[in-house]
Amino acid sequence: MTIYLDNNATTALAPEVREAMLPCLFGDYANPSSPHSAGMAARRLVSDARAQVAALIGAKPADVMFTGSATEATHAAILGALRSLEETDHTRDHILTTAVEHPATLALFDDLRNQGWRVSVLPVNADGLPSLVDLGALVSERTALVSMMWANNETGVLMPVAGASAIAHAHGALFHTDAVQAAGRVAVECGIADYLTLSAHKMHGPKGVGALYLRKGAPFRPLVHGHQERRRHGGTENVPGIVGFGAAASLAALWLDEAGLLGFLRDRLESGVLARWPGALVNGGGAARLPNTSNIRFADGQGRPADGEELLTRLDRAGIAVSMGAACSSGANGGGGNEPSHVLTAMGLSGAAAASSLRFSLSRYSTAAEIDAVLSELPALHARLVAA
Ligand code: PLP
């Protein structure tokens, strides 16, 4: 049995979620736009799920729209906001994000730069935190939108989103946050944001379904046209996925109470690794973090950065699944080779130090026995690495 500690890449489908989805895969397959009773039943399922997802972030159901992924939700938010603003306000030509955002956001900002937007990318300190003073100096009456993730997917570092949103709003700019890794792991309140991105598969829901919280009245032009989702995002609804997302969001809200236990297990792993591996350090360890994530850089016998890829392979052979940075930048998806993590290099790590770092990400299914099994592998692994 694999010890799965890669839950920031994706999570296992919860049995409760699977049970909720199964009827929509077989019996209840009608199109929610159809006029007959079966269509109405499907419509009700979508609307119940919308209420469940909204409840997780303190939103009104009408302010939540479903998408095909978080990546799509972020694109819909940022492009939808900017295209709408372009029609009404020609004075704002500047947008801002941080150096440690998910690649989907950074690539979108690159594209927007090529389209003529002035783009600022806020640096982070050694703990992975951007400075609100720097942000305040960059945001002006010409800023259209600020996008800052709620929690970083590689280090778990919690970003100063409330402060960033206040600064953006004080200058009349819009605020988007990617709360994909935070939702279900820490309390997430949509109230600070104009746009907020979620993904089902990071909270024990299915892949291929995301959601966007859109504050009522926030500027928005649809990215995908069609009558669904109140004309804000076209395409026949992925009913099983949406139902699964709803069930996952309800479970996530319940499980928030158990975040302390998750943090306890993560700390047990982290302190255990540091005690067993001379020279190991926690990336982002000085910042407040998600309770499930630990990003650790490993040293070899001489105190130089260890070969993280080799460590990952050896852990994999021992049945332990961890990752180096984000799954999507690992090259495994045809992403084009193993680039050092842009998050860790933004925190000041050298390429070699970044490549010596592994991300351990737990879930509510992780157990103390699993953590102890991982820790028990380390002394032999260290001895082999030092001998090599
Ligand atoms: N944002 C963050 C912070 C993520 O970690 C991920 C997934 O890795 C995404 C966005 C993209 O989510 P999705 O796979 O639903 O597009």
Side-chain angles (χ1 to χ4, degrees), residues 214-246:
L214 252 176
R215 179 182 56 74
K216 189 165 188 259
F220 184 75
R221 285 224 326 134
L223 181 65
V224 183
H225 293 280
H227 69 267
Q228 292 88 355
E229 297 297 297
R230 298 169 175 249
R231 302 201 165 274
R232 296 178 302 197
H233 200 74
T236 300
E237 296 86 343
N238 167 9
V239 180
I242 289 171
V243 166
F245 196 174

Side-chain angles (χ1 to χ4, degrees), residues 36-101:
H36 43 67
S37 337
M40 274 162 59
R43 222 155 38 241
R44 261 196 306 277
L45 288 174
V46 170
S47 133
D48 290 349
R50 197 185 309 282
Q52 289 171 304
V53 172
L56 180 64
I57 54 167
K60 292 199 182 73
D63 297 343
V64 171
M65 87 183 196
F66 289 111
T67 62
S69 63
T71 301
E72 198 175 288
T74 292
H75 279 66
I78 295 174
L79 293 173
L82 297 182
R83 287 172 62 197
S84 171
L85 269 189
E86 274 173 331
E87 288 168 2
T88 55
D89 186 344
H90 301 286
T91 61
R92 295 183 187 264
D93 59 354
H94 173 237
I95 52 177
L96 182 145
T97 191
T98 83
V100 295
E101 297 299 308

Side-chain angles (χ1 to χ4, degrees), residues 8-9 69-71 102 149 151 153 178 180-181 199 201-202 328:
N8 287 10
S69 63
T71 301
H102 188 267
M149 66 199 330
N153 46 308
D178 170 351
V180 164
Q181 296 288 348
S199 183
H201 75 100
K202 310 287 182 176
C328 17

Side-chain angles (χ1 to χ4, degrees), residues 113-162:
R113 182 189 283 112
N114 294 335
Q115 289 171 35
W117 287 90
R118 281 193 306 117
V119 171
S120 300
V121 178
L122 201 59
V124 294
N125 68 11
D127 274 319
L129 285 169
S131 144
L132 289 181
V133 175
D134 292 350
L135 178 70
L138 286 166
V139 175
S140 74
E141 311 308 313
R142 288 181 62 182
T143 307
L145 178 132
V146 171
S147 180
M148 179 185 284
M149 66 199 330
W150 199 294
N152 184 265
N153 46 308
E154 295 193 29
T155 58
V157 167
L158 291 164
M159 306 287 270
V161 282

Side-chain angles (χ1 to χ4, degrees), residues 3 13 22 33 47 61 63 115-116 124 149 164 255 300 305 309 364:
I3 297 178
L13 201 69
L22 279 176
S33 300
S47 133
D63 297 343
Q115 289 171 35
V124 294
M149 66 199 330
W255 291 343
D300 70 6
E309 216 170 306
R364 61 106 45 199

